[in-house]
Amino acid sequence: MSENKFSVKKHFFSSLFDQNPILVQLLGTCPTLAVSTTVVNGIGMGLSATAVLVLSNLLISLLRKFIPKQVRIAAYIVIISGFVTAVELLIKAFLPSLDKSLGLFIPLIVVNCIILARAEAFASKNGPVVSMIDGLFMGVGFTFALGILGLIREVLGSGSVLGYTIPGFKPILFFALPAGAFLTLGCLIAAVNYILALSKNKKGGSK
Amino acid sequence: MSLGAIIGMLISSILIENYVFSRFLGICPFLGLSEKPSTAFGMGCAVTFVMTLSTAITWALYHFVLIPTGLEYLKTIAFILVIASLVQLIEMFLKKSVPALYAALGIYLPLITTNCAILGAAILCIQNEYNFIESVTFSFGSAVGWTMAIIIFAGVRARIVFAETPKCFKGTPIALVTACLIAMAFAGFQGVKLPF
């Protein structure tokens, strides 16, 4: 039991940092760049993807013995798009403002590589509970990266945090534009590479 | 719909509303497959072909099947299934009848199913309430714009390999910074007002 707990903790940190879906594995870059203009949008997108990820991982893991190998990708896509449609309808009904700002990118969760990648790499080989935890952690990693990116771009691009304007700060429009999204993500990934290389060197040194 | 309007729509979807640099669609293959200009061109052709065809089919499906039966909310599932099976069909057809084209596009075809630009184009056409000709024009123009973006990007990237970049910027980060600079150039098109 204690061993199991330890691996859960390890899994959590690895999905946040050294296996982070956006910053290290580079999956799901399209929604990342498009919706990270503000923190709220980024986190909203992250949470919707997390919900789909957890549910689809659960169902795929439960059905893993019944889905024939040859048609598994098609089956996964149908399962994922079913959940995405449900999430889309829920957001439309209860959070219409979020629906407006995320727009096209909610139905596009279907083709978000993170979800299909976790279904193929993890849920199709593991039990339902572990798969759900994996989906949750990967989703948290995704949300975490989106939140940070959204925070940087919101502060620099529109001079506000969570919609509240920072007094005395002149926003730099560049960061709210598409070009700013590419630059911010590039610098963020470079920073993560730098930190990971540093921590690797430290570990190598202590050995 | 006049010819001028069609040309205007083509120009706007290729340059002004470029898929990569202003709508953020199809970024994954854009970053992944742009190391060599020749692969970029192959992928671009495959995307153009599938995107134009799939938008035509999904438009017909939406207007002649989903609306009459009141199942509009199933459009995401229906469209992704159409795209996945279309890609499979095209692959089988090309393998049998046009082996030369199959050899050229072969490896890129399966990757197209998860290219968000294809599903994005199909959904955008429905959201913007385009008619059939507008939908086909829009998706063709967008695909050409995407192809152009990926070829330009591949050309720049081929030279960056030889540049001395800081260690932590090697690979994707410097590619993203490059994309930022190209996106700034494309932002210049935003000011263009078409006379149509």
Side-chain angles (χ1 to χ4, degrees), chain A residues 67-149:
Chain A
I67 299 176
K69 260 229 148 65
Q70 295 85 346
V71 294
R72 66 183 194 286
I73 302 285
Y76 297 162
I77 287 182
V78 175
I79 292 172
I80 293 167
S81 51
F83 284 122
V84 169
T85 307
V87 167
E88 189 189 350
L89 292 175
L90 283 174
I91 292 179
K92 269 209 175 100
F94 295 108
L95 299 163
S97 65
L98 189 68
D99 176 65
K100 229 180 187 172
S101 50
L102 296 185
L104 177 66
F105 285 90
I106 301 173
L108 286 184
I109 297 177
V110 176
V111 280
N112 190 324
C113 337
I114 299 171
I115 296 170
L116 200 62
R118 289 329 283 174
E120 170 76 6
F122 199 91
S124 60
K125 298 183 188 98
N126 292 287
V129 178
V130 200
S131 297
M132 259 175 90
I133 294 175
D134 175 76
L136 183 67
F137 287 174
M138 277 296 154
V140 169
F142 183 61
T143 314
F144 173 71
L146 269 175
I148 291 186
L149 202 60

Side-chain angles (χ1 to χ4, degrees), chain B residues 45 49 94 98-106 109:
Chain B
C45 290
F49 188 54
L94 287 183
V98 200
L101 193 61
Y102 177 75
L105 300 183
L109 278 172

